[in-house]
Amino acid sequence: MKKVHIKSFGCQMNVYDGQRMADILGEQGYEETATPEGADLILLNTCHIRDRAVQKVYTELGKLRDIKKAQGAQGQETKIVVAGCVAQAEGGEIQRRQPAVDLVVGPQAYHRLPELLAEAAGRRVVDTDLPIEDKFGFLPATKPQVIRARGVSAFVTVQEGCDKFCAFCVVPYTRGAEFSRPVAQILSEVERLAEAGVRDVTLIGQNVNAYHGEGPDGAVWSLARLMHRVAEVPGIARIRYTTSHPRDMDDDLIAAHRDLPQAMPFLHLPVQAGSDRILAAMNRKHTGDEYRRLIGRIREARPDIALSSDFIVGFPGETDADFEDTIRLVDEIGFASSYSFKYSPRPGTPAADLDAQIPREVMDERLYRLQGRIEHHRQAFNAAMVGRTVDVLLERAGRHPGQMAGKSPYLQAVQIDSDSDRIGEIVRVVIERTSTNSLFGRKCGAQDDPRKEMAA
Ligand code: 5AD
Ligand code: SF4
């Protein structure tokens, strides 16, 4: 068999796309390998969201050129493919900067990988079309043994692209306009996953709660309706979704957090900043107080919900007072976790041309302070778990013999003392202590395993 090494940068959608490319290449006789050395095909699945992500790609490509050269000297041909959002944004520029690259393929064209690879024999090829056709219809189904190897938690892309046009963000340009997969297609993918042992699905999309896919009844289905239907798939015990926009949190979706037992009490709902002036300049279409009220309604529906957000510091024009508004919002909401970034001007986005770009030192200082507050609230959220009983989905063997590792409903990593349980089971666990990145607990019972009903 030929070997392919796939390295994904960036978001969960890239992880998903990387897996689907592995599925396609599997059909072409490639098996995955963990290192680039020895691979016949090396595929970088890239991220364009911030400048540093792009720089990483070029650094990585320099190393791959050396591997390709060394393997060539040994008589082994090596192909280098750049996929993902840098491929989309930079196109042929990638091969001008790094001639060792054989093929550049955008995120909406990777279902054509087999043909493109054949074309790229002996010459360089670029395919960054953003076609309206649905690439998902062309992807081969993931094989059951591959699903099992990937584990009991899986991502399923249900939506792609974004029509929101936040002033800082490159996604509407790299991933294109909003597109929702039809319900039937998503269901057959979830059913295959569940049959191979998946218990926990995360429905993903750049703006997933704007989902509006065609239902089997011909009507347009919302994300809430889709979640209710996915919850009926035998074996699926947990449903999450990411990433959401505050403007698209409709009443049905909020109600699902109250009414649907499979809807996990975790929500990633980026707010980006706390100052209304900056939110307006970012074209976020909501104010700080609108976000606070929305969180209030979500917490009313599901009081224990863990919330998380993304933040950008140093957006052009951000004053000290604006930044204090962000800190105030963070302290008021008390997020269970959050990501935070320094603003990075992206070519082609409206914010890149704004005056009043913020000096690096100011951004560094603000990021440091913000991350301190975020970490404080994360630790507080985790510490409050001690003494509580939670359901833990067992995902893998633990760090030490006699331990197993899994996830709490709040997306926390949990280590339990047990080696007698099966991966994929959900057990009741009393949390006894926390460390920086994990909770530790003791098993105190088993939750019903829906798979037993399936077998009966
Ligand atoms: N600079 C910094 N952070 C950005 N993000 C998106 N674009 C930029 C940018 N130009 C962040 C946002 C988004 C997350 C995925 O990345 O916070 O929610
Ligand atoms: Fe990065 Fe956005 Fe592309 Fe994901 S969609 S890889 S976050 S640029």
Side-chain angles (χ1 to χ4, degrees), residues 414-443:
V414 186
Q415 300 273 333
I416 66 167
D417 291 326
S418 165
D419 53 9
S420 59
D421 295 288
R422 282 183 310 156
I423 287 169
E425 262 170 42
I426 294 175
V427 294
R428 304 281 291 156
V429 170
V430 186
I431 302 301
E432 293 177 321
R433 64 187 178 86
T434 67
S435 72
T436 319
N437 290 314
S438 288
L439 308 180
F440 295 84
R442 174 172 47 80
K443 189 178 149 183

Side-chain angles (χ1 to χ4, degrees), residues 138-154:
F138 297 91
L139 300 177
T142 313
K143 296 205 168 63
Q145 67 269 27
V146 174
I147 298 173
R148 279 192 285 274
R150 288 175 188 165
V152 294
S153 299

Side-chain angles (χ1 to χ4, degrees), residues 320-332:
D320 285 339
D322 291 322
F323 175 66
E324 292 308 322
D325 286 344
T326 297
I327 295 286
R328 194 158 54 83
L329 185 131
V330 166
D331 285 340
E332 279 172 26

Side-chain angles (χ1 to χ4, degrees), residues 156-159 180-191 203 211 226 230:
V156 175
T157 293
V158 302
Q159 181 278 339
S180 297
R181 289 177 78 183
V183 173
Q185 208 186 59
I186 295 165
L187 282 177
S188 70
E189 193 168 321
V190 173
E191 281 160 7
L203 310 177
Y211 178 83
L226 177 68
V230 168

Side-chain angles (χ1 to χ4, degrees), residues 21-38:
M21 287 191 263
D23 294 339
I24 298 172
L25 294 167
E27 304 261 297
Q28 303 289 311
Y30 284 93
E31 68 176 357
E32 269 197 87
T33 168
T35 58
E37 290 84 5

Side-chain angles (χ1 to χ4, degrees), residues 151-153 197-200 235 237-238 390-396 404-408 414 416 418-429 443 445-452:
V152 294
S153 299
V198 166
R199 310 289 321 274
D200 176 337
R238 296 181 160 194
V390 293
D391 290 335
V392 174
L393 170 63
L394 300 177
E395 291 183 319
R396 63 182 71 86
M404 292 199 66
K407 285 261 161 57
S408 79
V414 186
I416 66 167
S418 165
D419 53 9
S420 59
D421 295 288
R422 282 183 310 156
I423 287 169
E425 262 170 42
I426 294 175
V427 294
R428 304 281 291 156
V429 170
K443 189 178 149 183
Q447 209 208 30
D448 276 350
D449 185 345
R451 285 176 307 181
K452 285 180 196 144

Side-chain angles (χ1 to χ4, degrees), residues 9-11 13-14 46-49 85 170-171 174-175 206:
F9 299 85
C11 65
M13 187 158 298
N14 264 10
T46 60
C47 174
H48 201 252
I49 198 87
C85 295
V170 82
V171 166
T174 55
R175 290 275 176 171
Q206 265 97 29

